[in-house]
């Protein structure tokens, strides 16, 4: 039974990789890959992920300071604005 789950998981990974290649080719054709807004949004997503993982880590040891929650909220709002500006600039 576990081999069936592993096979389904690897099939899903294969399918996602194929879709990612299609999406990357689509974005490269529009020039979005060279856009500073695109790279800033990717960097903010990485920072948000690291911040959320840090919040989850310190939550087990002590209360989470409020400024971390505000920082996460500010990053989410900035990502929403960046997403809207990218959609406005590169309408795909």
């Amino acid at each position: 039974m576990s081999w069936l789950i592993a096979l389904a998981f690897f099939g899903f990974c294969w399918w996602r990789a194929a879709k990612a290649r299609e999406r990357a080719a689509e974005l490269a054709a529009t020039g979005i890959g060279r856009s500073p807004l695109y790279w800033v949004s990717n960097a903010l997503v990485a920072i948000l992920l690291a911040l959320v993982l840090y919040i989850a880590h310190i939550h087990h040891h002590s209360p989470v300071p409020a400024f971390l929650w505000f920082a996460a909220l500010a990053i989410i709002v900035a990502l929403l604005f960046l997403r809207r500006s990218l959609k406005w600039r590169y309408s795909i």
Side-chain angles (χ1 to χ4, degrees), residues 75-91:
I75 291 173
I76 291 170
V77 169
L79 281 170
L80 290 174
F81 280 115
L82 276 172
R83 182 176 183 266
R84 178 54 53 194
S85 64
L86 279 169
K87 284 196 171 284
W88 175 74
R89 174 67 176 94
Y90 303 98
S91 58

Side-chain angles (χ1 to χ4, degrees), residues 43-89:
L44 278 178
V45 167
I47 292 169
L48 180 63
L49 180 63
L51 181 63
V52 168
L53 289 174
Y54 178 68
I55 288 172
H57 174 71
I58 66 170
H59 178 67
H60 294 294
H61 304 292
S62 64
V64 178
F67 75 89
L68 290 177
W69 292 112
F70 290 130
L73 183 65
I75 291 173
I76 291 170
V77 169
L79 281 170
L80 290 174
F81 280 115
L82 276 172
R83 182 176 183 266
R84 178 54 53 194
S85 64
L86 279 169
K87 284 196 171 284
W88 175 74
R89 174 67 176 94

